[in-house]
């Protein structure tokens, strides 16, 4: 079955620690995205990538970093510079930019 | 003015009711109009999408787009308790990178 796999499902971060969230897709989609979802708020775009080895900042990129070395993979690192990292993180992909996106089941990040 | 407006609800209906969910938007360049369903602690699931204008039907679900009014709707017929979820509308334009999401409407269908 084609889809998007995010891992881990739950993640805890200590102060000063960087953590990496995994996102893998087997839909053969070119574009991939990372969103943050906070209670009562809509989805906010962190980073997006339209092709391998290229990515762009979204609306709230500060304190986050990404890489896109393979078409199938788009990991997100939450750095210690992100002072309020507790949120539900969602990865998505689409055939190309602007087309309907498909989502993974998210990673919930909390602070220890 | 927000690019998309969606009533957060909650909307509570009895089982079997017809549900109407709506969004208004401001950018006339949008071409894709999507509806997502999100259960608690899960990612949004793409329910339906329409390209340009018009209606689309899939089982109990009907999506409508009125570009002249910048208004989109999702109708759910014969609603079931399993339809209880948050429904997000979304819009984008071809070749763009940004999809605009509504904040979501929380729906409760009572048995």
């Amino acid at each position: 079955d084609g889809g998007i796999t995010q891992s881990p499902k739950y993640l805890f971060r200590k102060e000063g620690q960087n953590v990496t969230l995994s996102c893998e897709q087997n839909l053969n989609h070119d574009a991939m995205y990372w969103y943050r979802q906070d209670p009562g708020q809509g989805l906010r775009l962190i980073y997006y990538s339209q092709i391998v080895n290229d990515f762009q900042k979204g609306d709230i990129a500060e304190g986050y970093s990404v890489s896109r070395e393979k078409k199938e993979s788009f990991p997100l690192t939450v750095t210690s510079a992100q002072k309020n990292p507790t949120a539900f993180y969602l990865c998505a992909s689409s055939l190309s930019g602007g087309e309907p996106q498909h989502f993974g089941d998210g990673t919930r990040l909390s602070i220890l | 003015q927000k690019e998309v407006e969606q009533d957060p609800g909650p909307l509570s209906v009895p089982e079997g009711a017809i549900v109407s969910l709506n969004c208004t938007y401001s950018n006339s360049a949008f071409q894709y109009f999507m509806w997502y369903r999100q259960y608690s602690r899960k990612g949004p699931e793409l329910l339906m999408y329409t390209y340009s204008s018009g209606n689309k039907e899939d089982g109990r679900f009907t999506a409508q787009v009125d570009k002249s009014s910048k208004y989109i709707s999702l109708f759910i017929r014969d609603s079931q308790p399993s339809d209880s979820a948050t429904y997000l509308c979304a819009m984008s334009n071809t070749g763009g990178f940004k999809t605009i999401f509504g904040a979501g409407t929380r729906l409760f269908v009572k048995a």
Side-chain angles (χ1 to χ4, degrees):
Chain A
D1 262 344
I4 299 173
T5 302
Q6 288 188 244
S7 62
K9 198 171 176 69
Y10 300 96
L11 188 57
F12 298 91
R13 195 192 89 168
K14 294 179 183 176
E15 290 287 340
Q17 187 182 40
N18 293 352
V19 291
T20 298
L21 285 59
S22 170
C23 178
E24 303 277 331
Q25 55 101 355
N26 61 3
L27 298 167
N28 201 30
H29 285 172
D30 284 322
M32 296 188 74
Y33 314 80
W34 274 104
Y35 292 91
R36 172 179 172 141
Q37 188 175 40
D38 294 282
Q41 295 198 36
L43 296 171
R44 292 186 288 169
L45 183 65
I46 305 172
Y47 269 98
Y48 68 99
S49 166
Q50 301 217 60
I51 54 170
V52 174
N53 292 323
D54 184 63
F55 48 83
Q56 306 295 331
K57 292 181 180 180
D59 300 319
I60 55 164
E62 188 173 344
Y64 300 98
S65 66
V66 293
S67 63
R68 185 90 187 274
E69 296 175 4
K70 298 187 297 181
K71 186 174 183 177
E72 313 78 53
S73 179
F74 192 40
L76 173 75
T77 296
V78 183
T79 75
S80 56
Q82 173 47 247
K83 297 306 177 190
N84 184 21
T86 297
F88 190 45
Y89 290 87
L90 289 160
C91 177
S93 70
S94 64
L95 204 56
S96 61
E99 300 219 14
Q101 296 175 20
H102 298 260
F103 285 83
D105 267 343
T107 293
R108 189 164 300 276
L109 176 62
S110 304
I111 293 292
L112 273 180
Chain B
Q1 183 188 8
K2 283 186 180 178
E3 283 194 272
V4 58
E5 300 269 6
Q6 183 176 13
D7 187 335
L11 179 61
S12 185
V13 301
E15 184 175 357
I18 296 175
V19 175
S20 172
L21 303 166
N22 312 292
C23 288
T24 58
Y25 63 94
S26 57
N27 187 344
S28 57
F30 290 138
Q31 295 166 300
Y32 278 105
F33 301 91
M34 288 80 76
W35 285 97
Y36 290 86
R37 177 175 62 195
Q38 186 175 22
Y39 292 114
S40 184
R41 295 187 176 85
K42 291 285 195 178
E45 171 196 1
L46 180 63
L47 263 181
M48 302 178 69
Y49 71 90
T50 310
Y51 182 76
S52 191
S53 60
N55 297 354
K56 190 171 186 178
E57 190 172 318
D58 184 1
R60 297 185 294 111
F61 298 88
T62 300
Q64 288 185 353
V65 175
D66 182 347
K67 292 189 88 173
S68 61
S69 303
K70 297 192 182 71
Y71 188 86
I72 69 170
S73 302
L74 177 71
F75 297 96
I76 307 174
R77 289 182 298 281
D78 187 26
S79 55
Q80 303 294 309
S82 58
D83 294 328
S84 298
T86 297
Y87 290 80
L88 297 93
C89 63
M91 299 107 188
S92 65
N93 38 312
T94 308
F97 70 90
K98 200 164 182 182
T99 294
I100 307 299
F101 290 87
T105 299
R106 199 144 179 221
L107 172 67
F108 295 97
V109 181
K110 300 171 292 185

PDB file of all heavy atoms in Angstrom, chain A residues 65-76:
ATOM      1  N   SER A  65      15.369  22.447  10.824  1.00  0.00           N
ATOM      2  CA  SER A  65      16.159  22.242   9.616  1.00  0.00           C
ATOM      3  C   SER A  65      15.695  20.952   8.945  1.00  0.00           C
ATOM      4  O   SER A  65      15.105  20.082   9.584  1.00  0.00           O
ATOM      5  CB  SER A  65      17.659  22.172   9.929  1.00  0.00           C
ATOM      6  OG  SER A  65      17.943  21.022  10.700  1.00  0.00           O
ATOM      7  N   VAL A  66      15.939  20.862   7.638  1.00  0.00           N
ATOM      8  CA  VAL A  66      15.524  19.687   6.864  1.00  0.00           C
ATOM      9  C   VAL A  66      16.627  19.310   5.882  1.00  0.00           C
ATOM     10  O   VAL A  66      17.576  20.066   5.661  1.00  0.00           O
ATOM     11  CB  VAL A  66      14.224  19.945   6.061  1.00  0.00           C
ATOM     12  CG1 VAL A  66      13.024  20.144   6.981  1.00  0.00           C
ATOM     13  CG2 VAL A  66      14.394  21.128   5.119  1.00  0.00           C
ATOM     14  N   SER A  67      16.468  18.128   5.285  1.00  0.00           N
ATOM     15  CA  SER A  67      17.316  17.721   4.171  1.00  0.00           C
ATOM     16  C   SER A  67      16.450  16.923   3.212  1.00  0.00           C
ATOM     17  O   SER A  67      15.411  16.385   3.595  1.00  0.00           O
ATOM     18  CB  SER A  67      18.508  16.880   4.659  1.00  0.00           C
ATOM     19  OG  SER A  67      18.044  15.675   5.258  1.00  0.00           O
ATOM     20  N   ARG A  68      16.865  16.872   1.956  1.00  0.00           N
ATOM     21  CA  ARG A  68      16.126  16.076   0.961  1.00  0.00           C
ATOM     22  C   ARG A  68      17.159  15.434   0.031  1.00  0.00           C
ATOM     23  O   ARG A  68      17.379  15.859  -1.102  1.00  0.00           O
ATOM     24  CB  ARG A  68      15.171  16.976   0.169  1.00  0.00           C
ATOM     25  CG  ARG A  68      14.287  16.183  -0.804  1.00  0.00           C
ATOM     26  CD  ARG A  68      13.012  15.735  -0.209  1.00  0.00           C
ATOM     27  NE  ARG A  68      12.231  14.852  -1.032  1.00  0.00           N
ATOM     28  CZ  ARG A  68      11.352  15.243  -1.967  1.00  0.00           C
ATOM     29  NH1 ARG A  68      11.193  16.537  -2.228  1.00  0.00           N
ATOM     30  NH2 ARG A  68      10.665  14.349  -2.639  1.00  0.00           N
ATOM     31  N   GLU A  69      17.767  14.389   0.547  1.00  0.00           N
ATOM     32  CA  GLU A  69      18.813  13.693  -0.219  1.00  0.00           C
ATOM     33  C   GLU A  69      18.234  12.615  -1.120  1.00  0.00           C
ATOM     34  O   GLU A  69      18.865  12.197  -2.099  1.00  0.00           O
ATOM     35  CB  GLU A  69      19.843  13.104   0.743  1.00  0.00           C
ATOM     36  CG  GLU A  69      20.597  14.169   1.524  1.00  0.00           C
ATOM     37  CD  GLU A  69      21.525  13.563   2.574  1.00  0.00           C
ATOM     38  OE1 GLU A  69      21.631  12.318   2.635  1.00  0.00           O
ATOM     39  OE2 GLU A  69      22.136  14.344   3.335  1.00  0.00           O
ATOM     40  N   LYS A  70      17.047  12.129  -0.766  1.00  0.00           N
ATOM     41  CA  LYS A  70      16.368  11.114  -1.579  1.00  0.00           C
ATOM     42  C   LYS A  70      14.934  11.549  -1.828  1.00  0.00           C
ATOM     43  O   LYS A  70      14.334  12.231  -0.986  1.00  0.00           O
ATOM     44  CB  LYS A  70      16.358   9.764  -0.851  1.00  0.00           C
ATOM     45  CG  LYS A  70      17.708   9.177  -0.572  1.00  0.00           C
ATOM     46  CD  LYS A  70      17.582   7.758  -0.002  1.00  0.00           C
ATOM     47  CE  LYS A  70      16.863   7.755   1.321  1.00  0.00           C
ATOM     48  NZ  LYS A  70      16.758   6.386   1.896  1.00  0.00           N
ATOM     49  N   LYS A  71      14.375  11.117  -2.925  1.00  0.00           N
ATOM     50  CA  LYS A  71      13.002  11.512  -3.262  1.00  0.00           C
ATOM     51  C   LYS A  71      12.024  11.054  -2.185  1.00  0.00           C
ATOM     52  O   LYS A  71      11.050  11.721  -1.880  1.00  0.00           O
ATOM     53  CB  LYS A  71      12.630  10.889  -4.615  1.00  0.00           C
ATOM     54  CG  LYS A  71      11.288  11.333  -5.161  1.00  0.00           C
ATOM     55  CD  LYS A  71      11.084  10.782  -6.560  1.00  0.00           C
ATOM     56  CE  LYS A  71       9.777  11.281  -7.139  1.00  0.00           C
ATOM     57  NZ  LYS A  71       9.586  10.811  -8.537  1.00  0.00           N
ATOM     58  N   GLU A  72      12.295   9.876  -1.601  1.00  0.00           N
ATOM     59  CA  GLU A  72      11.331   9.272  -0.684  1.00  0.00           C
ATOM     60  C   GLU A  72      11.402   9.827   0.729  1.00  0.00           C
ATOM     61  O   GLU A  72      10.513   9.586   1.527  1.00  0.00           O
ATOM     62  CB  GLU A  72      11.568   7.760  -0.563  1.00  0.00           C
ATOM     63  CG  GLU A  72      11.752   7.002  -1.869  1.00  0.00           C
ATOM     64  CD  GLU A  72      13.140   7.171  -2.455  1.00  0.00           C
ATOM     65  OE1 GLU A  72      14.130   6.921  -1.742  1.00  0.00           O
ATOM     66  OE2 GLU A  72      13.225   7.578  -3.634  1.00  0.00           O
ATOM     67  N   SER A  73      12.454  10.571   1.057  1.00  0.00           N
ATOM     68  CA  SER A  73      12.712  10.888   2.450  1.00  0.00           C
ATOM     69  C   SER A  73      12.877  12.390   2.686  1.00  0.00           C
ATOM     70  O   SER A  73      13.562  13.074   1.907  1.00  0.00           O
ATOM     71  CB  SER A  73      13.986  10.151   2.889  1.00  0.00           C
ATOM     72  OG  SER A  73      14.292  10.442   4.221  1.00  0.00           O
ATOM     73  N   PHE A  74      12.281  12.886   3.771  1.00  0.00           N
ATOM     74  CA  PHE A  74      12.346  14.332   4.070  1.00  0.00           C
ATOM     75  C   PHE A  74      12.368  14.491   5.592  1.00  0.00           C
ATOM     76  O   PHE A  74      11.381  14.891   6.208  1.00  0.00           O
ATOM     77  CB  PHE A  74      11.133  15.029   3.453  1.00  0.00           C
ATOM     78  CG  PHE A  74      11.193  16.534   3.434  1.00  0.00           C
ATOM     79  CD1 PHE A  74      12.361  17.219   3.139  1.00  0.00           C
ATOM     80  CD2 PHE A  74      10.044  17.282   3.679  1.00  0.00           C
ATOM     81  CE1 PHE A  74      12.404  18.607   3.096  1.00  0.00           C
ATOM     82  CE2 PHE A  74      10.075  18.682   3.640  1.00  0.00           C
ATOM     83  CZ  PHE A  74      11.247  19.330   3.347  1.00  0.00           C
ATOM     84  N   PRO A  75      13.496  14.216   6.237  1.00  0.00           N
ATOM     85  CA  PRO A  75      13.553  14.306   7.699  1.00  0.00           C
ATOM     86  C   PRO A  75      13.578  15.757   8.192  1.00  0.00           C
ATOM     87  O   PRO A  75      14.149  16.637   7.540  1.00  0.00           O
ATOM     88  CB  PRO A  75      14.865  13.593   8.050  1.00  0.00           C
ATOM     89  CG  PRO A  75      15.692  13.693   6.809  1.00  0.00           C
ATOM     90  CD  PRO A  75      14.740  13.704   5.654  1.00  0.00           C
ATOM     91  N   LEU A  76      12.978  15.959   9.350  1.00  0.00           N
ATOM     92  CA  LEU A  76      12.925  17.274   9.992  1.00  0.00           C
ATOM     93  C   LEU A  76      13.681  17.211  11.309  1.00  0.00           C
ATOM     94  O   LEU A  76      13.432  16.324  12.124  1.00  0.00           O
ATOM     95  CB  LEU A  76      11.469  17.658  10.271  1.00  0.00           C
ATOM     96  CG  LEU A  76      11.239  18.928  11.101  1.00  0.00           C
ATOM     97  CD1 LEU A  76      11.497  20.173  10.256  1.00  0.00           C
ATOM     98  CD2 LEU A  76       9.823  18.964  11.666  1.00  0.00           C
TER      99      LEU A  76
END
